[in-house]
Amino acid sequence: MASISLLNPKAEFARAAQALAINISAGKGLQDVMKTNLGPKGTMKMLVSGAGDIKITKDGNVLLHEMQIQHPTASMIARASTAQDDMTGDGTTSTVLLIGELLKQADIFLTEGLHPRILTEGVDKARVKSLEILDGMKIPIEIDEKSLSDIARTSLRTKVHTGLADLLTNVCVNAVLAIRQEGKQVDLHMIEIMEMQHKTATDTSLIRGIVMDHGSRHPDMPKRLENAYILTCNVSMEYEKSEVNSGFFYKTAEEREKLVLAEREFIDLRVKKVIELKRKLCDGTDKSFVVINQKGIDPTSLDMLAKEGIMALRRAKRRNMERLALACGGIAMNSFDDLNESHLGYAGLVYEHVLGETKYTFVEQCKNPQSVTILMKGPNKHTLAQIKDAIRDGLRAINNAIEDKAIVPGAGAFEIRAYNKLMQFKDEVKGKVRLGIQAFAEALLVIPKTLAVNSGYDVQDTIVKLTEEDRLNPDPIGLDLSTGEPMKPVDMGVYDNYIVKKQILNSCSVIASNLLLVDEIMRAGMTSLKG
Amino acid sequence: MTSTREIITLQFGNYANYVGAHWWNIQESGFSYDPNGEPSEIDHDVLYREGVDYKGQVTYTPRLLLVDLKGALQHLPELGTLYESEPSTSAAASTSDRLESVQSSIPWDSEGVEVIKKEPQVKPEFQKDLDDPHVDITEKDYDFSTNAKTWSDFLYARYHPRTINIVKNYQHSDSVNSFDTFSNGSRIWQNEYYEDDFGDKIRQYMEECNNCQGFQTIFDCANGFGGLSLKCLEYLNDEYSKVNLAVPVFNPRSVLFENSDEPLANSICVVNTALVYSHLVEQSSLIVPLSTADRAWRQIGAPRHFPLLNYKSDNLYQTSAILASFLDTISLRYRLKNPVSSCYLSNFCSDLNNYGRKLTAAALGLPFSMRSDEDLIDCLDKLEGSMFTQISPNSKIGTDYIVQSACIRGIPKNRLKRPSKQAQRQMKMAAYKCESVSEMLQLYFQCSNHASLAHVSAVEAPHPVKIPYPMEMFDPRLNFEGFLEDINRIEDQKLISVPVVATVQCSGDLSDTLESLHREASRIKLSKIHRFKETGLESDEYVEVLEHLLNFKDNYDDNFDL
């Protein structure tokens, strides 16, 4: 009888072995769901809701979000995986697999009577050791197209099919290289991701400029301009009725009219300032003028601008203000007082593309753009969603590599090497603690094991071959998924992010240890207490 | 300048979506597709937008964003059904076909795809019949009041794919609400989706508008959606600084929260409501709380009595229809065609919110009770008591010192008064000189309410009553146009419309409303309700909120003259 039931007879509880069994089964259950998705040969899951909404994905994090997880332990593991995604953008499936496997391995020892505390001590030792091993395997990189492509490709191939992955790799790497400034952190927000439900996924491309999902709202405005000055601003060109209860302030209707006119004129003045500048700069040359405003532009103002041949866009995204300034140059203006040429940006080509009810405006041919757009295309929503998730992860992988200035060999090479080293390390440790290290080492093998299963190879066969090869070879050895034979990931260009592996090792051992140390689970709601 | 005066509508929460679904249904059943008919007095472009779907067909959909919990949509796909790439026929057959076509189009080994399929939701009969052009829906009785499981079951209007947003973290359930606290809702806003995607959807609507009047937000007040909507209002103010009309609605069915018994659930509701009201003071231009129950803070009170209506007090489908009728009628003021200068949302709000009295009370006459052989002038003459039933919780409006904005619809010109030859007794009344419905009602308010101000709009078109509106609520003595007869309407004659009057009032008596909320809210020990603290609401903050409510109450106490 647990002490809680003295206090609250309605409380549900599970103790010791039972509690552990609950936690372990949750870990295993989640592992079973996710393991088929690991690696480039893993299957995709297509989720169909009751109303027919379709979602196709392979991304561990997306899957965990789509599943309704009720089990408290499972949702804890899922949270660890989400945290992994937030931190690094990759390795979510691996996290779930590793936690599940660690619990499974621990279970073997625990049923034989080992105290969980001793086991977790071993796990922690193993974690520290494997981080050392990981550091030893780091390969420092130059930030160039090749090494970034390798890392992006490895990540993307686990998310979408090969052809598309290679295309996206190219797109993502070029995007990051375009916006990267030496000595500064890369701000991924400066890569706009725009979607068009149109054509096929392989038409996805990188636009060296900005694409906006709105166009000019006036029939007479030009749809295509070359050699354009770009004015980005955050200035209202919209006449707004004053909110004050008007009745109190005017004596006569004429007076009221006058006030309205005066307010209108105030807006007109702003528009005229823009027109003036346009006339000064463009008249008599082949140059043209584009206004992109974060605030509104009302029909009257649009009309005035259209008469001058100015293309005007209203209600631009807040973030596009920053992006436009980086892509075209110029400054986002907050007022039109002393507006001059130095405030303007430049684009070689600005044109509009209409798709159904949505207009897209392309701002291209910028000089040295430091903000770019990835234009995703796909025939339907779920394809677009899939590409979007993949692109986000690809960009993160590249960014991680740039920040780490290092990468580690992929294809299970780290796990194999760590296993061998940990097994040696185990013998140097005295006492039962070494069992924890053994459990950790065995658990790491789940990654290459699952990779082998998903590609259709025999597990034992593969693991034996790999560990053997690794022991004999100073270079890291990974699994070649197309042949099932050992290979050198460095030769094949298969790399993982250092930070991803590090994060996995840390979070998995902590979560698993916590779960193992649980000796009582209780559910006692507040229901019987008065609020 | 005759450009449209667009308004963007936002709905947060399940009950708000019930109300919204009815409202859009009412509006669409009022659409006239007759090219030769008289053009409507209502400018539908205010709330609706024109669009083009992927096949180039023109669409006309509400300028609306709604949020609900996962699972609340039942059979309705998130993107709606209007913009589907291929037309769907009967539900079950098409989904399996579609699955196959999707599966074959994946550029991956087809064995590599594992399909996880949930049991397809069966479309209710009404929705099936809507898809089938051969069925006349007006001929059938769908009995929504017992059958409707959620608002999408009786939704006649079709939404734009942008419209529906889902809170994925919480599962919808009829019995237990897991989306419990205000602070929980505020936290939801902070995640990436709302900051970026939701904000961007608002921007897209905004970009389409030539002359946006502002926003109207309908939301569930007593659960987590309160926090979400308040965050959204804050965002709207930061970003657009337009007029914000806030309509908190109260679910007439008391719902338990997860891991709570009734007293605890009620306390949570009170805290949520207090938080909503005090934040609304800052973030909205006008507050019009709606509920069909007379009290709503702690426990749901008794249902409000409408003389000619008979509804089940805890039926979501019926009660939300009453609230929707109110919204449809009161909003006429800013939806009329040929606007005169005072027909803007901003005027509507600023007429009522003088001296910071942003909280108002709503009242409705559904139907406007008038005998079929009477004229308006006689009807008002004989009227005893009020023509309205209050539909704001815990509010009583006195008869004096009130400011109100009323709308009346469905009184034809020829029912105003008799022509002078037959007028007889009517000639003696002061109201006989009034030439229009609005003028006469204005005079009535002037005479019956001491020292009060009233704005009256009148529309000749009545409130349409068509399936899926709950017409079974109406008294059987109403004739087909909704006027009262002595005998019951014959069975096969259907009610097609009713006259309705609605008003939003503001008076010093609302200080009692705030007082009662403050009393209830200050009685609660916040530290005993852990879930608020867990989601980031500190006790100090709550004390401030209570103080804020008291200050707000002061606006009503001072006896300003009008």
Side-chain angles (χ1 to χ4, degrees):
Chain A
M1 185 90 154
S3 42
I4 178 86
S5 51
L6 292 175
L7 303 168
N8 180 357
K10 276 195 227 154
E12 297 168 47
F13 60 91
R15 301 198 73 183
Q18 204 186 349
L20 196 62
I22 289 175
N23 283 344
I24 290 173
S25 74
K28 275 190 206 162
L30 218 47
Q31 189 191 19
D32 279 342
V33 178
M34 310 281 287
K35 72 177 172 202
T36 51
N37 301 98
L38 187 77
K41 294 267 173 144
T43 57
M44 283 198 282
K45 283 194 168 39
M46 175 151 112
L47 308 168
V48 185
S49 81
D53 287 324
I54 293 174
K55 179 130 201 167
I56 300 177
T57 186
K58 226 175 149 227
D59 188 318
N61 187 47
V62 177
L63 275 173
L64 287 173
H65 272 274
E66 289 297 321
M67 287 189 292
Q68 277 299 316
I69 298 172
Q70 298 289 352
H71 197 293
T73 316
S75 76
M76 216 167 117
I77 298 175
R79 243 177 272 165
S81 166
T82 308
Q84 172 79 25
D85 187 69
D86 290 345
M87 291 276 291
T88 64
D90 200 1
T92 48
T93 311
S94 307
T95 307
V96 174
L97 291 190
L98 204 52
I99 294 177
E101 190 65 19
L102 207 45
L103 292 177
K104 219 192 264 178
Q105 294 295 338
D107 190 30
I108 300 170
F109 295 110
L110 294 180
T111 45
E112 286 167 1
L114 183 66
H115 193 277
R117 177 62 71 188
I118 296 171
L119 190 82
T120 53
E121 256 170 54
V123 168
D124 199 53
K125 278 215 165 71
R127 177 183 68 89
V128 176
K129 179 72 185 169
S130 46
L131 284 177
E132 264 170 44
I133 301 167
L134 182 64
D135 272 337
M137 290 175 80
K138 258 205 309 204
I139 306 171
I141 50 159
E142 286 300 308
I143 294 162
D144 55 21
E145 201 176 326
K146 190 190 165 298
S147 48
L148 293 184
S149 294
D150 283 343
I151 186 108
R153 193 181 309 114
T154 313
S155 169
L156 283 168
R157 280 197 180 171
T158 65
K159 310 273 190 281
V160 287
H161 69 96
T162 327
L164 184 58
D166 291 349
L167 178 94
L168 292 182
T169 303
N170 219 335
V171 167
C172 290
V173 171
N174 284 327
V176 174
L177 287 177
I179 64 159
R180 181 172 167 272
Q181 285 157 295
E182 202 57 56
K184 272 197 199 157
Q185 259 201 346
V186 177
D187 183 2
L188 291 183
H189 286 307
M190 289 307 111
I191 301 175
E192 164 79 315
I193 298 174
M194 184 55 68
E195 56 182 58
M196 267 185 168
Q197 192 165 333
H198 184 46
K199 295 189 182 167
T200 62
T202 43
D203 290 305
T204 300
S205 61
L206 178 72
I207 307 288
R208 290 185 184 274
I210 301 293
V211 182
M212 282 167 286
D213 60 356
H214 51 118
S216 60
R217 288 272 165 200
H218 195 284
D220 298 340
M221 277 194 182
K223 305 281 173 243
R224 183 188 169 90
L225 288 174
E226 280 170 33
N227 239 341
Y229 281 111
I230 311 278
L231 169 63
T232 48
C233 54
N234 185 13
V235 179
S236 174
M237 297 198 219
E238 184 176 46
Y239 166 61
E240 283 185 68
K241 263 184 67 66
S242 53
E243 249 186 71
V244 204
N245 200 341
S246 356
F248 292 111
F249 298 101
Y250 323 111
K251 289 200 189 75
T252 60
E254 291 89 66
E255 205 176 315
R256 191 181 166 279
E257 280 300 298
K258 242 190 221 161
L259 206 93
V260 168
L261 274 179
E263 279 184 52
R264 176 74 246 177
E265 209 176 301
F266 185 67
I267 301 292
D268 286 352
L269 258 171
R270 289 180 177 170
V271 181
K272 279 184 188 136
K273 273 204 181 125
V274 175
I275 292 175
E276 218 172 277
L277 183 71
K278 184 257 168 184
R279 286 194 181 142
K280 200 172 101 193
L281 296 174
C282 305
D283 282 7
T285 64
D286 63 340
K287 294 198 167 134
S288 51
F289 206 90
V290 179
V291 178
I292 298 169
N293 194 353
Q294 193 190 329
K295 290 258 163 52
I297 308 178
D298 66 13
T300 328
S301 305
L302 281 174
D303 209 44
M304 288 166 71
L305 294 167
K307 282 199 186 110
E308 288 292 321
I310 298 174
M311 184 182 200
L313 278 75
R314 65 186 178 201
R315 301 276 174 207
K317 271 185 211 172
R318 179 188 286 258
R319 218 166 239 154
N320 273 348
M321 293 287 103
E322 208 180 327
R323 289 183 185 133
L324 279 164
L326 281 168
C328 314
I331 309 169
M333 301 300 293
N334 287 316
S335 96
F336 289 153
D337 302 335
D338 41 75
L339 183 70
N340 64 49
E341 193 180 351
S342 66
H343 298 137
L344 303 180
Y346 170 83
L349 179 65
V350 179
Y351 64 98
E352 203 175 280
H353 180 98
V354 184
L355 195 70
E357 59 178 29
T358 323
K359 285 180 179 174
Y360 294 87
T361 306
F362 289 71
V363 180
E364 281 191 73
Q365 297 177 9
C366 309
K367 292 171 189 158
N368 186 26
Q370 278 165 348
S371 176
V372 293
T373 306
I374 295 177
L375 184 63
M376 305 188 299
K377 293 192 178 172
N380 42 40
K381 272 277 174 218
H382 58 259
T383 314
L384 286 171
Q386 201 189 353
I387 301 175
K388 196 172 178 181
D389 287 335
I391 288 181
R392 189 175 298 143
D393 290 347
L395 291 175
R396 297 283 294 275
I398 298 169
N399 197 24
N400 287 336
I402 294 178
E403 278 177 10
D404 293 341
K405 296 207 174 53
I407 46 184
V408 291
F414 162 70
E415 285 80 6
I416 300 284
R417 173 60 53 94
Y419 170 77
N420 278 338
K421 290 259 176 93
L422 282 175
M423 286 316 237
Q424 288 166 16
F425 174 64
K426 180 185 83 167
D427 298 331
E428 299 162 22
V429 179
K430 288 205 174 66
K432 285 198 276 189
V433 175
R434 65 163 63 173
L435 296 177
I437 299 172
Q438 189 180 340
F440 193 85
E442 295 281 355
L444 280 179
L445 282 186
V446 73
I447 304 290
K449 273 182 190 166
T450 313
L451 285 176
V453 172
N454 288 349
S455 321
Y457 302 116
D458 184 77
V459 179
Q460 273 80 19
D461 208 21
T462 319
I463 294 300
V464 168
K465 262 194 267 179
L466 285 176
T467 44
E468 195 83 341
E469 190 75 20
D470 185 72
R471 228 168 277 147
L472 302 171
N473 217 315
D475 292 332
I477 296 297
L479 174 65
D480 187 343
L481 295 186
S482 48
T483 61
E485 293 300 315
M487 57 94 170
K488 290 185 181 161
V490 181
D491 299 345
M492 311 280 281
V494 182
Y495 293 106
D496 278 332
N497 277 130
Y498 167 72
I499 180 92
V500 173
K501 291 281 176 209
K502 188 172 150 191
Q503 179 75 16
I504 291 177
L505 288 175
N506 278 327
S507 68
C508 290
S509 51
V510 171
I511 297 280
S513 302
N514 278 342
L515 290 177
L516 288 172
L517 288 174
V518 169
D519 78 332
E520 188 161 331
I521 300 175
M522 44 198 166
R523 193 215 303 269
M526 280 282 294
T527 46
S528 49
L529 303 172
K530 296 266 182 266
Chain B
M1 208 162 49
T2 51
S3 60
T4 43
R5 306 150 291 151
E6 301 93 340
I7 291 176
I8 298 173
T9 311
L10 303 163
Q11 291 166 202
F12 294 92
N14 196 247
Y15 191 59
N17 286 329
Y18 264 90
V19 177
H22 270 303
W23 188 11
W24 303 111
N25 286 345
I26 295 171
Q27 292 188 53
E28 297 204 2
S29 51
F31 283 1
S32 160
Y33 296 100
D34 180 8
N36 304 319
E38 245 181 67
S40 158
E41 298 155 274
I42 303 166
D43 185 358
H44 291 294
D45 290 339
V46 172
L47 296 179
Y48 278 76
R49 71 185 280 279
E50 221 173 88
V52 184
D53 69 3
Y54 299 121
K55 282 170 296 184
Q57 298 263 21
V58 175
T59 61
Y60 199 55
T61 49
R63 193 176 289 111
L64 163 75
L65 290 176
L66 67 83
V67 183
D68 212 326
L69 298 184
K70 195 173 178 176
L73 296 177
Q74 303 276 357
H75 61 88
L76 185 68
E78 249 182 271
L79 294 173
T81 47
L82 199 56
Y83 281 65
E84 267 175 4
S85 8
E86 60 257 48
S88 70
T89 40
S90 68
S94 75
T95 31
S96 62
D97 285 354
R98 252 178 69 206
L99 276 190
E100 265 166 41
S101 74
V102 168
Q103 224 167 334
S104 61
S105 69
I106 298 169
W108 199 294
D109 345 333
S110 49
E111 299 109 60
V113 182
E114 190 181 336
V115 180
I116 299 169
K117 220 158 110 183
K118 278 200 197 130
E119 205 48 37
Q121 295 278 356
V122 184
K123 269 193 185 183
E125 199 187 353
F126 177 64
Q127 294 295 335
K128 274 188 208 154
D129 291 350
L130 279 184
D131 291 339
D132 188 347
H134 307 298
V135 181
D136 183 7
I137 52 161
T138 56
E139 292 303 314
K140 279 197 183 174
D141 179 17
Y142 294 96
D143 195 13
F144 290 114
S145 58
T146 45
N147 290 340
K149 284 200 288 287
T150 184
W151 51 269
S152 62
D153 285 6
F154 61 87
L155 185 70
Y156 176 78
R158 289 289 173 258
Y159 290 156
H160 190 266
R162 206 184 283 160
T163 296
I164 301 176
N165 300 276
I166 296 295
V167 177
K168 289 230 165 65
N169 313 28
Y170 299 92
Q171 178 80 30
H172 171 78
S173 146
D174 286 327
S175 51
V176 178
N177 192 341
S178 52
F179 190 41
D180 47 9
T181 60
F182 182 91
S183 30
N184 229 334
S186 318
R187 284 214 305 200
I188 290 283
W189 180 266
Q190 258 117 44
N191 82 27
E192 217 178 320
Y193 178 77
Y194 285 93
E195 290 258 75
D196 291 355
D197 295 5
F198 194 76
D200 206 48
K201 284 177 172 182
I202 299 174
R203 186 191 60 81
Q204 282 175 325
Y205 275 134
M206 207 54 196
E207 200 268 331
E208 290 165 3
C209 300
N210 274 326
N211 185 15
C212 183
Q213 293 193 58
F215 304 92
Q216 47 188 17
T217 311
I218 311 167
F219 61 95
D220 286 9
C221 187
N223 56 32
F225 280 108
L228 183 62
S229 3
L230 259 299
K231 276 281 170 204
C232 180
L233 286 176
E234 200 183 315
Y235 170 84
L236 292 178
N237 282 332
D238 284 356
E239 206 75 354
Y240 303 109
S241 56
K242 298 260 181 197
V243 185
N244 265 322
L245 172 66
V247 184
V249 293
F250 293 85
N251 195 326
R253 193 188 278 174
S254 49
V255 175
L256 284 184
F257 295 111
E258 213 168 35
N259 295 331
S260 72
D261 57 357
E262 215 182 307
L264 179 62
N266 290 339
S267 300
I268 295 172
C269 286
V270 173
V271 177
N272 285 337
T273 310
L275 286 164
V276 165
Y277 273 59
S278 90
H279 283 91
L280 274 180
V281 177
E282 311 252 299
Q283 303 298 351
S284 70
S285 312
L286 194 72
I287 312 164
V288 188
L290 296 182
S291 164
T292 50
D294 62 353
R295 281 176 303 117
W297 309 147
R298 178 157 269 282
Q299 266 134 356
I300 304 297
R304 296 279 190 187
H305 174 68
F306 289 84
L308 293 171
L309 277 190
N310 180 14
Y311 67 97
K312 288 184 212 123
S313 61
D314 66 341
N315 192 293
L316 299 181
Y317 165 73
Q318 288 184 344
T319 54
S320 59
I322 296 172
L323 303 185
S325 294
F326 168 79
L327 285 171
D328 192 54
T329 308
I330 202 72
S331 63
L332 287 172
R333 174 166 172 188
Y334 49 82
R335 291 198 288 140
L336 284 180
K337 257 187 196 154
N338 308 322
V340 280
S341 65
S342 63
C343 291
Y344 285 85
L345 186 61
S346 58
N347 298 101
F348 174 67
C349 296
S350 61
D351 275 0
L352 292 159
N353 67 8
N354 281 324
Y355 310 112
R357 294 178 166 191
K358 285 180 177 173
L359 181 71
T360 58
L364 175 71
L366 176 75
F368 176 66
S369 149
M370 184 161 144
R371 299 186 54 84
S372 60
D373 51 2
E374 256 177 349
D375 292 323
L376 181 66
I377 188 167
D378 295 322
C379 173
L380 291 177
D381 185 48
K382 285 184 211 150
L383 190 68
E384 277 170 33
S386 174
M387 66 175 89
F388 302 114
T389 303
Q390 289 291 328
I391 49 170
S392 287
N394 299 47
S395 311
K396 245 187 253 142
I397 288 291
T399 48
D400 301 335
Y401 301 104
I402 60 180
V403 184
Q404 65 177 332
S405 171
C407 283
I408 184 161
R409 71 199 304 190
I411 310 290
K413 264 233 166 78
N414 56 12
R415 298 283 302 279
L416 183 67
K417 57 185 180 185
R418 300 277 158 75
S420 51
K421 280 178 202 155
Q422 309 158 22
Q424 299 165 5
R425 208 176 58 83
Q426 291 182 356
M427 290 284 264
K428 290 185 196 128
M429 295 184 218
Y432 192 75
K433 65 178 193 299
C434 295
E435 290 301 323
S436 69
V437 176
S438 58
E439 212 176 315
M440 192 176 286
L441 205 60
Q442 187 109 35
L443 185 70
Y444 170 79
F445 288 137
Q446 257 168 34
C447 301
S448 53
N449 306 103
H450 172 63
S452 301
L453 279 178
H455 178 284
V456 179
S457 324
V459 179
E460 216 164 293
H463 179 298
V465 177
K466 241 191 211 173
I467 279 181
Y469 193 84
M471 46 180 76
E472 69 274 10
M473 300 191 299
F474 290 103
D475 193 289
R477 284 172 301 165
L478 295 178
N479 73 6
F480 72 104
E481 281 179 309
F483 294 106
L484 195 61
E485 300 260 15
D486 286 328
I487 45 164
N488 285 2
R489 189 176 64 236
I490 35 176
E491 275 293 306
D492 55 348
Q493 197 178 26
K494 280 216 156 74
L495 193 63
I496 55 168
S497 67
V498 287
V500 179
V501 62
T503 183
V504 172
Q505 302 165 317
C506 181
S507 85
D509 293 322
L510 283 169
S511 102
D512 298 342
T513 309
L514 289 167
E515 165 94 58
S516 69
L517 177 61
H518 180 263
R519 195 170 50 233
E520 287 286 0
S522 51
R523 220 183 268 162
I524 290 164
K525 290 199 181 68
L526 194 73
S527 51
K528 285 240 176 104
I529 312 177
H530 300 296
R531 58 189 83 194
F532 280 102
K533 192 156 188 194
E534 275 166 20
T535 48
L537 180 78
E538 297 295 333
S539 312
D540 300 351
E541 205 183 322
Y542 188 59
V543 172
E544 250 170 63
V545 160
L546 292 176
E547 219 152 275
H548 206 141
L549 271 182
L550 270 190
N551 289 341
F552 182 42
K553 188 183 90 100
D554 286 347
N555 290 347
Y556 290 86
D557 284 344
D558 297 332
N559 277 317
F560 292 116
D561 49 348
L562 292 162

